[in-house]
Amino acid sequence: MFWETFMLAIRAIRRNLLRSALTVLGIVIGVAAVITMVTLGSGATAKVTQDIAKLGSNMLQVRPGQGFRGPGGARSSAPMLEAADAEALAREISGLDAVAPSASQALQVIRGSANRSTSVTGTTDGFTRVRDWDLAAGRNFSANELRAGKAVGIIGHTVWKDLFGGQNPVGETIRLNRISFKVVGVLGAKGQSSFGTDQDDLVLVPLRTFQRRIAGNTDVQVIYVSARDGISTETVRADMERLMRERRRIGPEKEDDFHVRDMQEIVSTMTATTRVLTALLGAVAAVSLLVGGIGIMNIMLVSVTERTREIGTRMAIGAMERDVMRQFLVEAVVLAGLGGVCGILLGLTAAAAGARWMGVPFVFSPGIMMLAVAFSAAVGIIFGYFPARQAARLDPIAALRHE
Amino acid sequence: MSPPAPNPPRPEPIIRLRQASKVYGQGQAAIYALRGVDLEVARGEFVAVMGPSGSGKSTCMNIIGCLDTPSAGSYRFDGIEVGELSRDQRAVLRRHCLGFVFQGFNLLPRTSALENVELPLIYRGVGRRRRRDLAATALGAVGLTGWEDHTPGELSGGQQQRVAIARAIVSNPRVLLADEPTGNLDTERSHEVMHLLCDLNRRQNLTVVMVTHESDMAAYAGRRIHFRDGGIEATD
Ligand SMILES: Nc1ncnc2c1ncn2[C@@H]1O[C@H](COP(=O)(O)OP(=O)(O)OP(=O)(O)O)[C@@H](O)[C@H]1O
Ligand SMILES: [Mg+2]
């Protein structure tokens, strides 16, 4: 019996194909809009997460000052970190994979007649490990180079391309601050960060070399730390805060004059932002679904009036109220459902094109599609109910006499 | 002298109206479409209902067809008191026991003859295969074999009315009701339809009640009932 009703609905829809198509257009556009928005939104979220994962998602940073908390002032007055802090962290905190104290400065890097303004970072061999960054060529700093503060450097991909034009740089010389550095390695390309900066535009040198021969002090601006896989960054962070308070002799009632940032924290802020945006766009699209539903109701009402004689005939032949009700309800649901399916196809196509254009991954989420189908079927039921009831309540005699 | 033999019990007529009235509206504006009609139709009869416009013929047919119930009096269909049934129960009664032929044919547009004829069987829950067979047989009975796939728009008036008759008889009803079945047809087609109805009446012992204005058509019936002002004026 349900199959019969379904086929009946298909036939009724086919009898008036153009009108049926126009009727479901609202639903099609609504569903397509929801699917496109949500798919692109999830893609953007995924991209942000990926980008941050490139930084190393289990990475933490310690910086002097109070960070985001309160207005400035604390930052400048807070004492800098030092290499000993990093050593202490590495020694005393369990669950750490690598520690990399760093200090940076913008400098001209010169090779022959070519030069480029870049960021020079003094750090240790732990840097590549913390940042999950592979070397494309050459090697990392040796223990001896780090200890003795040798003039050696590892160059970023952009610097390599710019100064060496694709030639092998290992063993060549670059000049920083009028000092010659021997290139021992090249970092792999990381591309743009999600903040839009070129991550590959840098030169790494041993921290001690940087302090003595470039900065002229013993400051460490930031200590990067990575937790081992499966270790909660929350725990590591708490341990680090405790140790740092101890080392910096901060009394129990005093505020921290340093802060530990957790990449997880940054990830969640950024994904939360894109999620809110996605929800907002999705909501706007859902409104158009509602409008589509009203369109279906309108057409179903017209259809009931138009087919009054048909309804009368069916009733005379022996259709019960619920038979007529079911017929029109199923018709509305099938109409809305077809609209939903067309909308999904259209939405996925648009989302795929949009994802390519925006350079975000295409995230296929079956959940939202099921939701869209369920929603359009619900639209069919809700907006089909009233016209269907109207049809079922018709008086067969009056319906038969209807012109 | 032996006492007179008791009359054999008369079989219950399939249609029995007792003092049936139908009133439309209330109070001053009340219209009496039927005023105390007494009517009995036996199984296998062919009855023609005649009378001037507005005399209550269609109202009476609607009551007989269980599309409507009398405002007062009683209507028994095959022993069932129809006035006591709900809307849905009457629908089921129509589904199983009655066939309708309308003046305007009332076929579903853009739907093939076969599918139109199948319609009552769908509500009876007959399976697809058997439905096809029965519908094809019914179309054959009205002489439309070969026209199964034509839609009403592709059929003449007479053919359309024959499809409508096929649809009315496909479910093998006990009573066929026809309200001016030849009202929209020319004389020749009208006679064709009447021959068909007579045939069904005689061969399948189908009870037929038909409204008509034309005495030529009424002449086919075994009995003629004349309506006037909501009551039966004469029977012959
Ligand atoms: N739904 C209704 N509401 C009010 N009055 C009605 C209604 N249906 C019928 N009537 C009235 O009842 C009376 C009988 O109508 P009916 O349709 O039975 O006449 P009829 O004999 O079939 O006429 P015709 O030959 O023109 O078809 C008429 O006066 C008509 O106006
Ligand atoms: Mg009439």
Side-chain angles (χ1 to χ4, degrees):
Chain A
M1 191 66 204
F2 180 81
W3 180 245
E4 303 290 351
T5 321
F6 179 76
M7 288 314 290
L8 202 67
I10 294 284
R11 215 172 294 148
I13 289 164
R14 278 216 336 239
R15 260 197 261 156
N16 232 323
L17 204 55
L18 177 64
R19 193 169 75 184
S20 304
L22 290 175
T23 305
V24 297
L25 205 57
I27 297 275
V28 172
I29 292 173
V31 169
V34 170
I35 298 274
T36 310
M37 292 306 169
V38 173
T39 306
L40 287 181
S42 320
T45 310
K47 170 132 174 65
V48 169
T49 319
Q50 271 176 18
D51 285 353
I52 292 172
K54 269 191 222 156
L55 288 174
S57 65
N58 51 359
M59 181 176 87
L60 297 99
Q61 312 176 350
V62 191
R63 286 177 194 270
Q66 286 187 319
F68 302 129
R69 256 176 277 151
R75 184 186 292 261
S76 49
S77 66
M80 273 289 165
L81 301 167
E82 45 198 25
D85 290 325
E87 280 154 27
L89 287 171
R91 197 172 51 238
E92 290 182 30
I93 296 194
S94 58
L96 293 191
D97 185 47
V99 177
S102 310
S104 300
Q105 193 172 318
L107 274 181
Q108 286 287 119
V109 50
I110 302 160
R111 182 206 173 223
S113 57
N115 73 88
R116 173 177 184 89
S117 168
T118 189
S119 160
V120 177
T121 297
T123 187
T124 62
D125 57 343
F127 185 85
T128 54
R129 205 177 161 84
V130 172
R131 298 284 304 268
D132 193 17
W133 208 334
D134 290 330
L135 285 161
R139 55 165 178 85
N140 211 329
F141 299 127
S142 69
N144 181 41
E145 283 163 351
L146 289 167
R147 203 176 329 107
K150 291 273 173 61
V152 291
I154 298 173
I155 59 177
H157 193 258
T158 305
V159 175
W160 171 56
K161 271 205 321 214
D162 201 24
L163 298 189
F164 292 91
Q167 284 174 298
N168 182 14
V170 177
E172 300 287 323
T173 306
I174 52 173
R175 290 175 71 79
L176 292 167
N177 220 16
R178 288 192 296 280
I179 302 155
S180 291
F181 282 77
K182 194 175 91 174
V183 176
V184 295
V186 184
L187 291 168
K190 272 218 171 194
Q192 287 210 331
S193 74
S194 43
F195 317 100
T197 53
D198 181 1
Q199 300 180 81
D200 298 319
D201 191 4
L202 85 170
V203 174
L204 301 180
V205 298
L207 178 65
R208 190 156 288 173
T209 318
F210 181 88
Q211 289 173 334
R212 281 192 198 148
R213 307 181 73 166
I214 294 173
N217 57 33
T218 57
D219 291 349
V220 166
Q221 292 160 357
V222 50
I223 302 173
Y224 296 107
V225 164
S226 66
R228 247 185 260 129
D229 279 345
I231 302 285
S232 143
T233 50
E234 288 298 313
T235 323
V236 171
R237 180 185 177 149
D239 290 347
M240 283 166 70
E241 278 169 351
R242 200 172 318 114
L243 180 65
M244 289 307 293
R245 281 179 75 89
E246 225 170 83
R247 288 185 60 80
R248 291 165 82 89
R249 299 201 168 73
I250 301 167
E253 70 284 1
K254 286 249 189 84
E255 292 241 354
D256 290 355
D257 65 353
F258 66 95
H259 66 274
V260 179
R261 259 166 85 191
D262 181 343
M263 285 320 280
Q264 224 72 54
E265 193 182 312
I266 302 173
V267 170
S268 45
T269 334
M270 294 210 52
T271 53
T273 315
T274 50
R275 260 197 216 115
V276 167
L277 262 172
T278 306
L280 217 63
L281 290 171
V284 171
V287 170
S288 62
L289 256 183
L290 202 71
V291 175
I294 294 169
I296 287 207
M297 173 146 83
N298 183 25
I299 284 301
M300 290 308 292
L301 280 173
V302 171
S303 175
V304 167
T305 313
E306 254 184 18
R307 284 152 69 190
T308 301
R309 272 177 89 100
E310 175 189 327
I311 296 163
T313 309
R314 286 178 184 279
M315 285 176 158
I317 276 170
M320 289 199 266
E321 274 185 39
R322 70 172 108 106
D323 296 321
V324 175
M325 178 95 192
R326 180 169 40 203
Q327 179 187 343
F328 280 87
L329 209 52
V330 167
E331 198 172 314
V333 172
V334 168
L335 212 52
L338 281 177
V341 170
C342 292
I344 285 175
L345 295 179
L346 189 69
L348 286 180
T349 314
R356 185 170 304 163
W357 181 66
M358 282 166 57
V360 301
F362 176 79
V363 180
F364 181 83
S365 58
I368 188 67
M369 293 201 311
M370 259 140 74
L371 196 72
V373 169
F375 197 91
S376 43
V379 162
I381 290 172
I382 292 163
F383 292 97
Y385 178 78
F386 180 66
R389 202 187 56 174
Q390 187 128 323
R393 296 261 173 98
L394 282 175
D395 173 23
I397 301 166
L400 277 169
R401 210 183 285 155
H402 185 87
E403 285 311 315
Chain B
M1 275 197 47
S2 57
N7 286 339
R10 268 209 307 152
E12 165 99 16
I14 190 140
I15 291 166
R16 200 197 72 180
L17 285 164
R18 282 281 154 83
Q19 284 302 305
S21 302
K22 185 74 194 178
V23 190
Y24 288 111
Q26 284 179 342
Q28 298 248 302
I31 296 167
Y32 280 80
L34 285 184
R35 308 164 189 268
V37 169
D38 286 311
L39 175 64
E40 289 189 1
V41 176
R43 244 171 263 270
E45 253 194 298
F46 188 162
V47 175
V49 175
M50 303 190 70
S53 188
S55 57
K57 305 184 295 293
S58 293
T59 308
C60 189
M61 288 293 272
N62 288 339
I63 290 173
I64 292 173
C66 303
L67 289 165
D68 209 351
T69 50
S71 321
S74 116
Y75 169 44
R76 287 168 83 88
F77 177 88
D78 207 6
I80 301 163
E81 188 58 54
V82 176
E84 289 167 4
L85 301 181
S86 70
R87 214 170 119 99
D88 277 347
Q89 284 173 320
R90 279 186 278 127
V92 173
L93 192 62
R94 291 197 295 274
R95 180 184 295 182
H96 291 286
C97 305
L98 291 156
F100 291 86
V101 179
F102 308 98
Q103 178 178 359
F105 319 142
N106 281 352
L107 299 174
L108 300 196
R110 278 164 286 187
T111 305
S112 77
L114 194 74
E115 283 170 336
N116 261 293
V117 175
E118 274 183 42
L119 206 58
L121 300 175
I122 291 180
Y123 292 117
R124 277 189 162 199
V126 177
R128 188 183 172 77
R129 268 280 172 69
R130 186 155 164 67
R131 230 163 51 209
R132 295 258 126 150
D133 292 348
L134 288 172
T137 310
L139 278 173
V142 299
L144 281 178
T145 304
W147 295 87
E148 287 87 352
D149 296 330
H150 289 67
T151 61
E154 300 163 353
L155 296 169
S156 73
Q159 285 171 326
Q160 286 184 52
Q161 192 58 300
R162 280 192 278 161
V163 173
I165 292 170
R167 184 179 63 189
I169 62 167
V170 72
S171 56
N172 199 16
R174 286 183 227 172
V175 175
L176 182 78
L177 299 172
D179 197 345
E180 303 191 44
T182 59
N184 279 353
L185 302 176
D186 61 38
T187 321
E188 206 174 320
R189 306 283 152 250
S190 299
H191 282 289
E192 267 178 39
V193 166
M194 292 317 298
H195 280 297
L196 190 58
L197 290 181
C198 274
D199 220 43
L200 290 167
N201 170 245
R202 220 168 297 135
R203 280 214 227 138
Q204 301 181 11
N205 201 31
L206 179 67
T207 311
V208 180
V209 180
M210 173 187 77
V211 173
T212 183
H213 282 289
E214 299 154 279
S215 34
D216 297 11
M217 306 302 144
Y220 284 91
R223 183 154 65 109
R224 278 153 294 277
I225 296 160
H226 296 270
F227 270 72
R228 182 173 292 279
D229 288 338
I232 295 177
E233 184 189 42
T235 303
D236 62 66

